[in-house]
Amino acid sequence: MNRTRWCSVVVALCFCWSFGEAFAARNWESLRGLGGMQVVIGDLNPEAVQDGLSTGLLQADVVRSLMGAGVNVLAREERLQTPGAPWLYVSVATVRTKLGSHVYSVSVALFQGALLDSNGVSTSVQTWERGSFGMTRSQDLRRIRRAVGDLVGVFIKDYLAMNQECPICSIVM
């Protein structure tokens, strides 16, 4: 790819990234009052699995982070009994290059049930999302796990900001 094209791609990605961050910042209110959520990890590319990444590792990492911060993690049955049936979805897309490294995109999104005003249909909608992308050697897929952990950390920060009680004024912030 020539230099001009590469610069155009980088500028476009930065624009999309900043737009996404501005959109995501407005969605904190959707986190207020959530009593917990189920964690769902998307399917992984078989090449990434072959190189050592697994849904089990990602699931354990995310659950440990959430529970460590005091966020309630629900089993599927509990989620279905919870208003809004919230679930935190972690998606990791990877492509192995000819040189053996992985280009990756990571997304962490919260989905909740919603009732559409237009026709009364109940559906699951994305109410919070963050993403990142990068590149790592096949021998170091821990970088992808760290990227997931960083995004889950942002989710925890936003979640706690909307659900912690103010010790002085006794109202939910």
Side-chain angles (χ1 to χ4, degrees), residues 85-104:
W87 51 290
L88 191 68
Y89 181 66
V90 177
S91 173
V92 176
T94 61
V95 175
R96 187 190 294 159
T97 67
K98 290 180 182 180
L99 299 175
S101 56
H102 284 272
V103 176
Y104 64 88

mmCIF file with all atom_site columns, all heavy atoms in Angstrom, residues 85-104:
data_model
loop_
_atom_site.group_PDB
_atom_site.id
_atom_site.type_symbol
_atom_site.label_atom_id
_atom_site.label_alt_id
_atom_site.label_comp_id
_atom_site.label_asym_id
_atom_site.label_entity_id
_atom_site.label_seq_id
_atom_site.pdbx_PDB_ins_code
_atom_site.Cartn_x
_atom_site.Cartn_y
_atom_site.Cartn_z
_atom_site.occupancy
_atom_site.B_iso_or_equiv
_atom_site.pdbx_formal_charge
_atom_site.auth_seq_id
_atom_site.auth_comp_id
_atom_site.auth_asym_id
_atom_site.auth_atom_id
_atom_site.pdbx_PDB_model_num
ATOM 1   N N   . ALA A 1 85  ? -32.842 -8.297  30.539 1.00 0.00 ? 85  ALA A N   1
ATOM 2   C CA  . ALA A 1 85  ? -31.994 -9.444  30.176 1.00 0.00 ? 85  ALA A CA  1
ATOM 3   C C   . ALA A 1 85  ? -30.629 -8.999  29.642 1.00 0.00 ? 85  ALA A C   1
ATOM 4   O O   . ALA A 1 85  ? -30.237 -9.356  28.531 1.00 0.00 ? 85  ALA A O   1
ATOM 5   C CB  . ALA A 1 85  ? -32.716 -10.339 29.172 1.00 0.00 ? 85  ALA A CB  1
ATOM 6   N N   . PRO A 1 86  ? -29.860 -8.198  30.427 1.00 0.00 ? 86  PRO A N   1
ATOM 7   C CA  . PRO A 1 86  ? -28.604 -7.634  29.907 1.00 0.00 ? 86  PRO A CA  1
ATOM 8   C C   . PRO A 1 86  ? -27.492 -8.669  29.730 1.00 0.00 ? 86  PRO A C   1
ATOM 9   O O   . PRO A 1 86  ? -27.355 -9.591  30.522 1.00 0.00 ? 86  PRO A O   1
ATOM 10  C CB  . PRO A 1 86  ? -28.223 -6.609  30.977 1.00 0.00 ? 86  PRO A CB  1
ATOM 11  C CG  . PRO A 1 86  ? -28.897 -7.068  32.215 1.00 0.00 ? 86  PRO A CG  1
ATOM 12  C CD  . PRO A 1 86  ? -30.124 -7.796  31.801 1.00 0.00 ? 86  PRO A CD  1
ATOM 13  N N   . TRP A 1 87  ? -26.699 -8.462  28.670 1.00 0.00 ? 87  TRP A N   1
ATOM 14  C CA  . TRP A 1 87  ? -25.546 -9.319  28.426 1.00 0.00 ? 87  TRP A CA  1
ATOM 15  C C   . TRP A 1 87  ? -24.406 -8.503  27.830 1.00 0.00 ? 87  TRP A C   1
ATOM 16  O O   . TRP A 1 87  ? -24.619 -7.607  27.022 1.00 0.00 ? 87  TRP A O   1
ATOM 17  C CB  . TRP A 1 87  ? -25.894 -10.526 27.563 1.00 0.00 ? 87  TRP A CB  1
ATOM 18  C CG  . TRP A 1 87  ? -26.630 -10.266 26.285 1.00 0.00 ? 87  TRP A CG  1
ATOM 19  C CD1 . TRP A 1 87  ? -27.932 -9.859  26.156 1.00 0.00 ? 87  TRP A CD1 1
ATOM 20  C CD2 . TRP A 1 87  ? -26.142 -10.419 24.955 1.00 0.00 ? 87  TRP A CD2 1
ATOM 21  N NE1 . TRP A 1 87  ? -28.258 -9.743  24.827 1.00 0.00 ? 87  TRP A NE1 1
ATOM 22  C CE2 . TRP A 1 87  ? -27.192 -10.093 24.075 1.00 0.00 ? 87  TRP A CE2 1
ATOM 23  C CE3 . TRP A 1 87  ? -24.914 -10.805 24.428 1.00 0.00 ? 87  TRP A CE3 1
ATOM 24  C CZ2 . TRP A 1 87  ? -27.056 -10.137 22.693 1.00 0.00 ? 87  TRP A CZ2 1
ATOM 25  C CZ3 . TRP A 1 87  ? -24.777 -10.851 23.052 1.00 0.00 ? 87  TRP A CZ3 1
ATOM 26  C CH2 . TRP A 1 87  ? -25.833 -10.525 22.209 1.00 0.00 ? 87  TRP A CH2 1
ATOM 27  N N   . LEU A 1 88  ? -23.212 -8.798  28.323 1.00 0.00 ? 88  LEU A N   1
ATOM 28  C CA  . LEU A 1 88  ? -21.997 -8.132  27.859 1.00 0.00 ? 88  LEU A CA  1
ATOM 29  C C   . LEU A 1 88  ? -21.352 -9.049  26.826 1.00 0.00 ? 88  LEU A C   1
ATOM 30  O O   . LEU A 1 88  ? -20.993 -10.192 27.138 1.00 0.00 ? 88  LEU A O   1
ATOM 31  C CB  . LEU A 1 88  ? -21.050 -7.873  29.029 1.00 0.00 ? 88  LEU A CB  1
ATOM 32  C CG  . LEU A 1 88  ? -19.870 -6.960  28.744 1.00 0.00 ? 88  LEU A CG  1
ATOM 33  C CD1 . LEU A 1 88  ? -20.350 -5.527  28.502 1.00 0.00 ? 88  LEU A CD1 1
ATOM 34  C CD2 . LEU A 1 88  ? -18.887 -6.990  29.910 1.00 0.00 ? 88  LEU A CD2 1
ATOM 35  N N   . TYR A 1 89  ? -21.236 -8.554  25.609 1.00 0.00 ? 89  TYR A N   1
ATOM 36  C CA  . TYR A 1 89  ? -20.723 -9.360  24.502 1.00 0.00 ? 89  TYR A CA  1
ATOM 37  C C   . TYR A 1 89  ? -19.306 -8.926  24.159 1.00 0.00 ? 89  TYR A C   1
ATOM 38  O O   . TYR A 1 89  ? -19.049 -7.733  23.927 1.00 0.00 ? 89  TYR A O   1
ATOM 39  C CB  . TYR A 1 89  ? -21.628 -9.202  23.280 1.00 0.00 ? 89  TYR A CB  1
ATOM 40  C CG  . TYR A 1 89  ? -21.194 -10.025 22.090 1.00 0.00 ? 89  TYR A CG  1
ATOM 41  C CD1 . TYR A 1 89  ? -21.231 -11.412 22.131 1.00 0.00 ? 89  TYR A CD1 1
ATOM 42  C CD2 . TYR A 1 89  ? -20.764 -9.409  20.927 1.00 0.00 ? 89  TYR A CD2 1
ATOM 43  C CE1 . TYR A 1 89  ? -20.845 -12.176 21.044 1.00 0.00 ? 89  TYR A CE1 1
ATOM 44  C CE2 . TYR A 1 89  ? -20.377 -10.161 19.821 1.00 0.00 ? 89  TYR A CE2 1
ATOM 45  C CZ  . TYR A 1 89  ? -20.413 -11.535 19.890 1.00 0.00 ? 89  TYR A CZ  1
ATOM 46  O OH  . TYR A 1 89  ? -20.027 -12.284 18.802 1.00 0.00 ? 89  TYR A OH  1
ATOM 47  N N   . VAL A 1 90  ? -18.395 -9.888  24.144 1.00 0.00 ? 90  VAL A N   1
ATOM 48  C CA  . VAL A 1 90  ? -16.998 -9.634  23.787 1.00 0.00 ? 90  VAL A CA  1
ATOM 49  C C   . VAL A 1 90  ? -16.730 -10.306 22.449 1.00 0.00 ? 90  VAL A C   1
ATOM 50  O O   . VAL A 1 90  ? -16.904 -11.515 22.304 1.00 0.00 ? 90  VAL A O   1
ATOM 51  C CB  . VAL A 1 90  ? -16.037 -10.174 24.869 1.00 0.00 ? 90  VAL A CB  1
ATOM 52  C CG1 . VAL A 1 90  ? -14.589 -9.968  24.440 1.00 0.00 ? 90  VAL A CG1 1
ATOM 53  C CG2 . VAL A 1 90  ? -16.317 -9.519  26.211 1.00 0.00 ? 90  VAL A CG2 1
ATOM 54  N N   . SER A 1 91  ? -16.325 -9.503  21.489 1.00 0.00 ? 91  SER A N   1
ATOM 55  C CA  . SER A 1 91  ? -16.033 -9.997  20.145 1.00 0.00 ? 91  SER A CA  1
ATOM 56  C C   . SER A 1 91  ? -14.568 -9.745  19.830 1.00 0.00 ? 91  SER A C   1
ATOM 57  O O   . SER A 1 91  ? -14.072 -8.629  20.011 1.00 0.00 ? 91  SER A O   1
ATOM 58  C CB  . SER A 1 91  ? -16.915 -9.258  19.134 1.00 0.00 ? 91  SER A CB  1
ATOM 59  O OG  . SER A 1 91  ? -16.535 -9.595  17.821 1.00 0.00 ? 91  SER A OG  1
ATOM 60  N N   . VAL A 1 92  ? -13.884 -10.792 19.375 1.00 0.00 ? 92  VAL A N   1
ATOM 61  C CA  . VAL A 1 92  ? -12.482 -10.668 18.973 1.00 0.00 ? 92  VAL A CA  1
ATOM 62  C C   . VAL A 1 92  ? -12.362 -11.231 17.562 1.00 0.00 ? 92  VAL A C   1
ATOM 63  O O   . VAL A 1 92  ? -12.630 -12.412 17.329 1.00 0.00 ? 92  VAL A O   1
ATOM 64  C CB  . VAL A 1 92  ? -11.545 -11.445 19.923 1.00 0.00 ? 92  VAL A CB  1
ATOM 65  C CG1 . VAL A 1 92  ? -10.101 -11.373 19.432 1.00 0.00 ? 92  VAL A CG1 1
ATOM 66  C CG2 . VAL A 1 92  ? -11.660 -10.919 21.349 1.00 0.00 ? 92  VAL A CG2 1
ATOM 67  N N   . ALA A 1 93  ? -11.993 -10.374 16.630 1.00 0.00 ? 93  ALA A N   1
ATOM 68  C CA  . ALA A 1 93  ? -11.771 -10.798 15.244 1.00 0.00 ? 93  ALA A CA  1
ATOM 69  C C   . ALA A 1 93  ? -10.278 -10.716 14.958 1.00 0.00 ? 93  ALA A C   1
ATOM 70  O O   . ALA A 1 93  ? -9.639  -9.711  15.283 1.00 0.00 ? 93  ALA A O   1
ATOM 71  C CB  . ALA A 1 93  ? -12.542 -9.901  14.282 1.00 0.00 ? 93  ALA A CB  1
ATOM 72  N N   . THR A 1 94  ? -9.722  -11.777 14.402 1.00 0.00 ? 94  THR A N   1
ATOM 73  C CA  . THR A 1 94  ? -8.296  -11.797 14.101 1.00 0.00 ? 94  THR A CA  1
ATOM 74  C C   . THR A 1 94  ? -8.064  -12.288 12.681 1.00 0.00 ? 94  THR A C   1
ATOM 75  O O   . THR A 1 94  ? -8.858  -13.059 12.144 1.00 0.00 ? 94  THR A O   1
ATOM 76  C CB  . THR A 1 94  ? -7.520  -12.730 15.061 1.00 0.00 ? 94  THR A CB  1
ATOM 77  O OG1 . THR A 1 94  ? -8.024  -14.056 14.911 1.00 0.00 ? 94  THR A OG1 1
ATOM 78  C CG2 . THR A 1 94  ? -7.647  -12.281 16.497 1.00 0.00 ? 94  THR A CG2 1
ATOM 79  N N   . VAL A 1 95  ? -6.959  -11.838 12.115 1.00 0.00 ? 95  VAL A N   1
ATOM 80  C CA  . VAL A 1 95  ? -6.502  -12.333 10.818 1.00 0.00 ? 95  VAL A CA  1
ATOM 81  C C   . VAL A 1 95  ? -5.012  -12.564 10.951 1.00 0.00 ? 95  VAL A C   1
ATOM 82  O O   . VAL A 1 95  ? -4.269  -11.655 11.354 1.00 0.00 ? 95  VAL A O   1
ATOM 83  C CB  . VAL A 1 95  ? -6.781  -11.313 9.690  1.00 0.00 ? 95  VAL A CB  1
ATOM 84  C CG1 . VAL A 1 95  ? -6.197  -11.802 8.379  1.00 0.00 ? 95  VAL A CG1 1
ATOM 85  C CG2 . VAL A 1 95  ? -8.265  -11.047 9.556  1.00 0.00 ? 95  VAL A CG2 1
ATOM 86  N N   . ARG A 1 96  ? -4.572  -13.785 10.650 1.00 0.00 ? 96  ARG A N   1
ATOM 87  C CA  . ARG A 1 96  ? -3.140  -14.082 10.691 1.00 0.00 ? 96  ARG A CA  1
ATOM 88  C C   . ARG A 1 96  ? -2.512  -13.631 9.373  1.00 0.00 ? 96  ARG A C   1
ATOM 89  O O   . ARG A 1 96  ? -3.000  -13.967 8.298  1.00 0.00 ? 96  ARG A O   1
ATOM 90  C CB  . ARG A 1 96  ? -2.897  -15.573 10.908 1.00 0.00 ? 96  ARG A CB  1
ATOM 91  C CG  . ARG A 1 96  ? -1.395  -15.848 11.135 1.00 0.00 ? 96  ARG A CG  1
ATOM 92  C CD  . ARG A 1 96  ? -1.039  -17.307 11.113 1.00 0.00 ? 96  ARG A CD  1
ATOM 93  N NE  . ARG A 1 96  ? -1.618  -18.046 12.206 1.00 0.00 ? 96  ARG A NE  1
ATOM 94  C CZ  . ARG A 1 96  ? -1.779  -19.368 12.165 1.00 0.00 ? 96  ARG A CZ  1
ATOM 95  N NH1 . ARG A 1 96  ? -1.431  -20.062 11.100 1.00 0.00 ? 96  ARG A NH1 1
ATOM 96  N NH2 . ARG A 1 96  ? -2.296  -19.996 13.191 1.00 0.00 ? 96  ARG A NH2 1
ATOM 97  N N   . THR A 1 97  ? -1.441  -12.856 9.479  1.00 0.00 ? 97  THR A N   1
ATOM 98  C CA  . THR A 1 97  ? -0.755  -12.365 8.282  1.00 0.00 ? 97  THR A CA  1
ATOM 99  C C   . THR A 1 97  ? 0.211   -13.424 7.758  1.00 0.00 ? 97  THR A C   1
ATOM 100 O O   . THR A 1 97  ? 0.488   -14.415 8.433  1.00 0.00 ? 97  THR A O   1
ATOM 101 C CB  . THR A 1 97  ? 0.035   -11.074 8.581  1.00 0.00 ? 97  THR A CB  1
ATOM 102 O OG1 . THR A 1 97  ? 1.114   -11.395 9.460  1.00 0.00 ? 97  THR A OG1 1
ATOM 103 C CG2 . THR A 1 97  ? -0.867  -10.011 9.206  1.00 0.00 ? 97  THR A CG2 1
ATOM 104 N N   . LYS A 1 98  ? 0.745   -13.183 6.587  1.00 0.00 ? 98  LYS A N   1
ATOM 105 C CA  . LYS A 1 98  ? 1.729   -14.102 6.004  1.00 0.00 ? 98  LYS A CA  1
ATOM 106 C C   . LYS A 1 98  ? 2.993   -14.173 6.857  1.00 0.00 ? 98  LYS A C   1
ATOM 107 O O   . LYS A 1 98  ? 3.702   -15.165 6.822  1.00 0.00 ? 98  LYS A O   1
ATOM 108 C CB  . LYS A 1 98  ? 2.084   -13.662 4.585  1.00 0.00 ? 98  LYS A CB  1
ATOM 109 C CG  . LYS A 1 98  ? 0.959   -13.855 3.603  1.00 0.00 ? 98  LYS A CG  1
ATOM 110 C CD  . LYS A 1 98  ? 1.363   -13.406 2.217  1.00 0.00 ? 98  LYS A CD  1
ATOM 111 C CE  . LYS A 1 98  ? 0.200   -13.561 1.269  1.00 0.00 ? 98  LYS A CE  1
ATOM 112 N NZ  . LYS A 1 98  ? 0.535   -13.139 -0.080 1.00 0.00 ? 98  LYS A NZ  1
ATOM 113 N N   . LEU A 1 99  ? 3.259   -13.117 7.619  1.00 0.00 ? 99  LEU A N   1
ATOM 114 C CA  . LEU A 1 99  ? 4.453   -13.092 8.465  1.00 0.00 ? 99  LEU A CA  1
ATOM 115 C C   . LEU A 1 99  ? 4.206   -13.756 9.821  1.00 0.00 ? 99  LEU A C   1
ATOM 116 O O   . LEU A 1 99  ? 5.111   -13.814 10.653 1.00 0.00 ? 99  LEU A O   1
ATOM 117 C CB  . LEU A 1 99  ? 4.925   -11.652 8.670  1.00 0.00 ? 99  LEU A CB  1
ATOM 118 C CG  . LEU A 1 99  ? 5.312   -10.914 7.396  1.00 0.00 ? 99  LEU A CG  1
ATOM 119 C CD1 . LEU A 1 99  ? 5.640   -9.459  7.702  1.00 0.00 ? 99  LEU A CD1 1
ATOM 120 C CD2 . LEU A 1 99  ? 6.484   -11.601 6.719  1.00 0.00 ? 99  LEU A CD2 1
ATOM 121 N N   . GLY A 1 100 ? 2.988   -14.238 10.056 1.00 0.00 ? 100 GLY A N   1
ATOM 122 C CA  . GLY A 1 100 ? 2.700   -14.959 11.280 1.00 0.00 ? 100 GLY A CA  1
ATOM 123 C C   . GLY A 1 100 ? 2.167   -14.118 12.424 1.00 0.00 ? 100 GLY A C   1
ATOM 124 O O   . GLY A 1 100 ? 1.916   -14.634 13.507 1.00 0.00 ? 100 GLY A O   1
ATOM 125 N N   . SER A 1 101 ? 1.972   -12.836 12.211 1.00 0.00 ? 101 SER A N   1
ATOM 126 C CA  . SER A 1 101 ? 1.400   -12.013 13.274 1.00 0.00 ? 101 SER A CA  1
ATOM 127 C C   . SER A 1 101 ? -0.123  -11.986 13.097 1.00 0.00 ? 101 SER A C   1
ATOM 128 O O   . SER A 1 101 ? -0.654  -12.471 12.106 1.00 0.00 ? 101 SER A O   1
ATOM 129 C CB  . SER A 1 101 ? 1.979   -10.603 13.249 1.00 0.00 ? 101 SER A CB  1
ATOM 130 O OG  . SER A 1 101 ? 1.791   -10.021 11.985 1.00 0.00 ? 101 SER A OG  1
ATOM 131 N N   . HIS A 1 102 ? -0.813  -11.456 14.101 1.00 0.00 ? 102 HIS A N   1
ATOM 132 C CA  . HIS A 1 102 ? -2.265  -11.344 14.035 1.00 0.00 ? 102 HIS A CA  1
ATOM 133 C C   . HIS A 1 102 ? -2.661  -9.876  14.066 1.00 0.00 ? 102 HIS A C   1
ATOM 134 O O   . HIS A 1 102 ? -2.234  -9.131  14.944 1.00 0.00 ? 102 HIS A O   1
ATOM 135 C CB  . HIS A 1 102 ? -2.915  -12.042 15.242 1.00 0.00 ? 102 HIS A CB  1
ATOM 136 C CG  . HIS A 1 102 ? -2.924  -13.518 15.147 1.00 0.00 ? 102 HIS A CG  1
ATOM 137 N ND1 . HIS A 1 102 ? -3.928  -14.225 14.536 1.00 0.00 ? 102 HIS A ND1 1
ATOM 138 C CD2 . HIS A 1 102 ? -2.029  -14.442 15.573 1.00 0.00 ? 102 HIS A CD2 1
ATOM 139 C CE1 . HIS A 1 102 ? -3.664  -15.515 14.606 1.00 0.00 ? 102 HIS A CE1 1
ATOM 140 N NE2 . HIS A 1 102 ? -2.522  -15.681 15.232 1.00 0.00 ? 102 HIS A NE2 1
ATOM 141 N N   . VAL A 1 103 ? -3.490  -9.477  13.125 1.00 0.00 ? 103 VAL A N   1
ATOM 142 C CA  . VAL A 1 103 ? -4.154  -8.183  13.163 1.00 0.00 ? 103 VAL A CA  1
ATOM 143 C C   . VAL A 1 103 ? -5.480  -8.470  13.860 1.00 0.00 ? 103 VAL A C   1
ATOM 144 O O   . VAL A 1 103 ? -6.146  -9.459  13.540 1.00 0.00 ? 103 VAL A O   1
ATOM 145 C CB  . VAL A 1 103 ? -4.382  -7.626  11.747 1.00 0.00 ? 103 VAL A CB  1
ATOM 146 C CG1 . VAL A 1 103 ? -5.171  -6.330  11.794 1.00 0.00 ? 103 VAL A CG1 1
ATOM 147 C CG2 . VAL A 1 103 ? -3.049  -7.434  11.032 1.00 0.00 ? 103 VAL A CG2 1
ATOM 148 N N   . TYR A 1 104 ? -5.844  -7.628  14.835 1.00 0.00 ? 104 TYR A N   1
ATOM 149 C CA  . TYR A 1 104 ? -7.056  -7.926  15.593 1.00 0.00 ? 104 TYR A CA  1
ATOM 150 C C   . TYR A 1 104 ? -7.924  -6.696  15.806 1.00 0.00 ? 104 TYR A C   1
ATOM 151 O O   . TYR A 1 104 ? -7.462  -5.568  15.783 1.00 0.00 ? 104 TYR A O   1
ATOM 152 C CB  . TYR A 1 104 ? -6.715  -8.543  16.955 1.00 0.00 ? 104 TYR A CB  1
ATOM 153 C CG  . TYR A 1 104 ? -5.943  -7.634  17.883 1.00 0.00 ? 104 TYR A CG  1
ATOM 154 C CD1 . TYR A 1 104 ? -6.606  -6.754  18.742 1.00 0.00 ? 104 TYR A CD1 1
ATOM 155 C CD2 . TYR A 1 104 ? -4.554  -7.651  17.907 1.00 0.00 ? 104 TYR A CD2 1
ATOM 156 C CE1 . TYR A 1 104 ? -5.904  -5.924  19.585 1.00 0.00 ? 104 TYR A CE1 1
ATOM 157 C CE2 . TYR A 1 104 ? -3.846  -6.821  18.764 1.00 0.00 ? 104 TYR A CE2 1
ATOM 158 C CZ  . TYR A 1 104 ? -4.523  -5.961  19.597 1.00 0.00 ? 104 TYR A CZ  1
ATOM 159 O OH  . TYR A 1 104 ? -3.826  -5.126  20.443 1.00 0.00 ? 104 TYR A OH  1
#
